Amino acid sequence: MTSSTVVDAPLENPGPEPATARRFTRWGAGVGRLVLFLALGAVVLSFGLVAGTGDATERTRSFSQIALTEARNSARSLSAEAGVLAAAGKNPEAAELLAQAEGLRDQAALLTSTGRDPSAARDSFEEPLDVSGTEDGARSPGAPGAPDVPDAKDLEPYVQALAASAQANLQSAWRADAGTARLLAAAGAAQQVWAARTAGLYGLDLPETNGPHAGDPAAESEAADEPAADKRLSNCPDAGTGEKTADTAAGTPSGSAAAGSAAPNAAAALKAAIDAEFGTAYAYEVALAQDPSAATRSEQWQARMAAHESRGTDAVAYLPDLCLPAVPPVAAYRLDAGFLRNPADALPALEQQFPAVYADLVALSEGDLRGWAIGRLAAVSEELYLQAETVPATPGLDAVPEDLPWN
């Protein structure tokens, strides 16, 4: 009786679990915690992606790519605005605005990044330009009520925006890579000329802007205890050896290896600018002595000669940036027979070379030298094109949108 009672009693304490069951229980709990941790991590990661700065492509864009995009968007917007303001070529003012609309449109095409989809870039510039003189294009150019010329108050925001875009491009060129710097500087120079031409036509004031270069090296050296040229030469590897001085005095060819191992391409471009300035000054001197029309053009030619000599001297002051002594070239230049036959007609061709000379220097230089070259490109563009019949979209560059593979 006693044994049967024990057997039939309920099992209130079944005893310890088998070892295998305990292992499965712990494993299941661990898996559950891992799944919860991964889920929380995924939520946190998703919040980080949403709050980030954009996709991977956007985050890895360089300064040059961003500057190109901003410059292109600005050129397209300004082109559309100029087209709306144009009055279908009925008067000189409207013809100027129409030419600017086309020039800005070409700039936008040239400023298209090569990383864009070619078909997308091509399609974006195939739409015809609206120059009807109305915002919705409803009236035809000859329709009654179409304005003969926009009012000055309507032009002021356009001129302000054009000048601001020019300054932004010139400033961005200082930091961009070589090819982008040349393109941005050329586009900014053209926009600066367009802004000045439009302001002159309508009697508007241009906004005051700071140039891309802080000052010339001569002014910097006057404020320092040690001349700027000496300071820059002291940072060169072979400073004080006299080796580069001897090479330069012997007439080292521009662009050769001995012309400055620190930056031979920049040295060649700077020497090309120096030779162009002093060579053109020499050409004016020859014209003053030999051309029959010198008597009536003497004052103008002497002013141009002095200006080129001054710019050549400014350029020489930047030679120490490239570990070269600030020594002017020997005043001996060769003029071809065509120039000597008719100096008066040949001088304008010499002036036309300077946008390309300084555009190359912008691309190949850096720092203060690039800033100075950007300022020179803008200045010579204004001298050449402020009163010219047309203004190139990118002074100093031969590229046109039709030559680019993505247009």
Side-chain angles (χ1 to χ4, degrees):
M1 289 293 292
T2 302
S3 61
S4 63
T5 302
V6 173
V7 172
D8 294 337
L11 296 176
E12 296 180 359
N13 184 12
E17 261 188 311
T20 303
R22 288 197 303 273
R23 283 198 300 271
F24 275 112
T25 301
R26 287 195 301 270
W27 182 82
V31 170
R33 287 192 298 270
L34 178 61
V35 171
L36 180 60
F37 176 78
L38 292 176
L40 289 174
V43 172
V44 172
L45 181 61
S46 66
F47 278 118
L49 290 175
V50 171
T53 59
D55 58 19
T57 303
E58 180 70 20
R59 290 196 303 272
T60 58
R61 295 175 71 202
S62 66
F63 173 84
S64 295
Q65 292 171 323
I66 294 172
L68 271 180
T69 300
E70 292 176 350
R72 181 183 68 250
N73 292 340
S74 178
R76 294 180 68 181
S77 175
L78 289 167
S79 175
E81 187 171 355
V84 169
L85 292 170
K90 287 186 174 183
N91 48 66
E93 291 86 355
E96 172 66 23
L97 289 170
L98 178 59
Q100 291 186 20
E102 294 291 349
L104 288 161
R105 194 165 184 253
D106 287 344
Q107 279 190 358
L110 292 170
L111 290 163
T112 300
S113 173
T114 56
R116 291 187 59 191
D117 178 68
S119 60
R122 190 164 48 246
D123 293 342
S124 64
F125 296 104
E126 286 179 352
E127 298 179 2
L129 185 65
D130 176 19
V131 292
S132 62
T134 63
E135 294 186 0
D136 56 5
R139 290 183 294 199
S140 62
D148 289 340
V149 61
D151 294 331
K153 62 181 178 62
D154 298 327
L155 264 295
E156 188 170 4
Y158 168 73
V159 171
Q160 298 279 340
L162 190 57
S165 178
Q167 185 67 11
N169 287 333
L170 294 175
Q171 292 285 359
S172 296
W174 203 346
R175 291 182 52 193
D177 59 46
T180 302
R182 177 169 19 202
L183 181 55
L184 289 172
Q191 291 177 358
Q192 188 167 278
V193 174
W194 283 326
R197 285 167 68 106
T198 308
L201 283 173
Y202 291 91
L204 300 173
D205 294 328
L206 283 173
E208 293 185 4
T209 56
N210 295 323
H213 189 57
D216 58 52
E220 294 173 2
S221 62
E222 290 174 0
D225 296 333
E226 181 183 359
D230 294 343
K231 285 186 176 181
R232 285 174 284 181
L233 279 175
S234 66
N235 295 326
C236 296
D238 57 352
T241 63
E243 295 176 2
K244 281 193 172 67
T245 304
D247 290 339
T248 305
T252 303
S254 296
S256 65
S261 57
N265 290 333
L270 180 56
K271 286 189 172 185
I274 294 172
D275 289 341
E277 294 289 3
F278 282 116
T280 303
Y282 175 74
Y284 276 101
E285 184 179 359
V286 173
L288 284 167
Q290 298 188 9
D291 194 277
S293 64
T296 59
R297 303 181 182 182
S298 174
E299 185 176 352
Q300 176 190 359
W301 286 359
Q302 286 180 353
R304 295 303 303 160
M305 181 177 67
H308 286 294
E309 287 178 346
S310 176
R311 294 165 187 171
T313 301
D314 290 343
V316 167
Y318 284 94
L319 286 170
D321 284 347
L322 307 176
C323 295
L324 295 171
V327 178
V330 177
Y333 296 92
R334 181 180 302 168
L335 298 171
D336 59 39
F339 180 91
L340 296 175
R341 282 193 299 269
N342 192 347
D345 290 344
L347 287 172
L350 291 178
E351 297 286 0
Q352 291 290 335
Q353 70 178 317
F354 285 101
V357 168
Y358 285 111
D360 287 343
L361 185 56
V362 168
L364 295 172
S365 60
E366 59 184 15
D368 286 346
L369 177 56
R370 176 181 281 188
W372 178 77
I374 292 170
R376 292 299 316 132
L377 175 58
V380 298
S381 297
E382 186 166 355
E383 290 174 359
L384 287 171
Y385 306 120
L386 186 60
Q387 302 297 332
E389 185 176 346
T390 60
V391 180
T394 51
L397 302 183
D398 294 331
V400 294
E402 291 74 15
D403 294 339
L404 302 180
W406 56 86
N407 289 325

